């Protein structure tokens, strides 16, 4: 489960979501940098820091999840020479459901090292909770 | 409302949270890079992309908010030569309340340009919703 750096940030992102949808832990951990400071934040959960914790989080999620389909819509991008930040909407369709769930918003950070690009951060969070429309902040969540 | 780059990422972060607590739009926009690709995600809301949208978001928030106090606890850090990613817990105490609200989790990305460091991304999201303990994902939020 070592990183397999990719030629572009877009290739890392495609591999990340392919591994996610396929629920393949080996493929998933190939996209993360060989760096004990990588960090993964699943929706509403505390950060998982370092490759071991990140792997444990995905193992747990893949074990709990049934089949699902995943659609990803790019929302925003910021490029520098060796860091690219991409913000995407993730649409999950679970099991036999015919419509995607409300989107999850994710910030993905990719870093270029000597061997190529890999993922160093994934921060996913709900865009809305329950019946609250996106963009409206429910009472009690000031920031 | 131009950026005022800082000598370190830590100085940017201190200025960011000082501006946030002081509800000062000028001070807030001084910490953001002069870059139309900066992005700010408030909890449960869609991304605000570019300085103008980021400023509009803070203006709206500062206009709506009463007095509050803000405590910030660093959780994780990843450093590269010209990018630093810091993950923090934000604790807001609002008005006359005596206890902080449940924490907000934020990923902050700082970038070094020719003049120094500034903020390029802030992604804030709830760590828990309602009575759900942190780290437990409520039903319906698979990822």
């Amino acid at each position: 489960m070592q990183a397999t750096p990719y030629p572009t940030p877009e290739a890392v992102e495609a591999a990340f979501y392919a591994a996610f949808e396929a629920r393949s832990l080996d493929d998933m951990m190939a996209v993360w940098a060989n760096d004990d400071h990588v960090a993964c934040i699943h929706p509403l959960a505390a950060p998982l820091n370092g490759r071991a914790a990140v792997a444990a989080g995905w193992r747990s999620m893949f074990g709990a999840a049934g089949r699902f389909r995943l659609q990803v819509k790019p929302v925003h991008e910021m490029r520098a020479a060796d860091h690219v930040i991409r913000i995407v909407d993730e649409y999950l369709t679970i099991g036999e459901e015919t419509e995607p769930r409300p989107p999850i918003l994710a910030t993905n950070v990719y870093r270029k090292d000597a061997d190529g690009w890999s993922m160093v951060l994934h921060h996913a969070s709900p865009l809305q909770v329950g019946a609250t429309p996106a963009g409206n902040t429910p009472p009690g969540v000031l920031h």
Side-chain angles (χ1 to χ4, degrees), chain A:
Chain A
M1 290 207 307
Q2 288 298 294
T4 308
Y6 289 82
T8 65
E10 289 76 11
V12 187
E13 189 159 278
F16 171 75
Y17 285 109
F20 188 172
E21 192 171 48
R23 292 176 289 166
S24 165
L25 188 60
D26 283 351
D27 291 353
M28 173 56 74
M29 293 316 297
V31 311
W32 288 85
N34 286 321
D35 180 331
D36 272 342
H37 295 88
V38 297
C40 184
I41 300 169
H42 294 292
L44 307 179
L48 302 170
N49 301 327
R51 282 183 64 87
V54 170
W58 289 110
R59 185 182 298 113
S60 169
M61 178 175 289
F62 293 156
R67 285 181 65 99
F68 59 88
R69 299 188 302 284
L70 181 58
Q71 292 176 286
V72 179
K73 180 184 162 198
V75 173
H76 187 65
E77 185 180 76
M78 189 169 4
R79 303 187 81 93
D82 56 5
H83 281 75
V84 165
I85 300 173
R86 285 167 62 91
I87 300 172
V88 303
D89 286 340
E90 303 173 349
Y91 294 86
L92 283 162
T93 305
I94 298 176
E96 303 302 313
E97 294 173 0
T98 54
E99 295 290 331
R101 302 281 178 107
I104 295 290
L105 182 67
T107 294
N108 296 323
V109 182
Y110 306 101
R111 189 178 71 199
K112 188 179 184 183
D113 295 317
D115 297 329
W117 290 87
S118 50
M119 177 173 267
V120 294
L121 176 102
H122 173 69
H123 180 164
S125 62
L127 248 177
Q128 59 195 75
V129 172
T132 306
N136 285 355
T137 303
V141 180
L142 170 65
H143 169 62

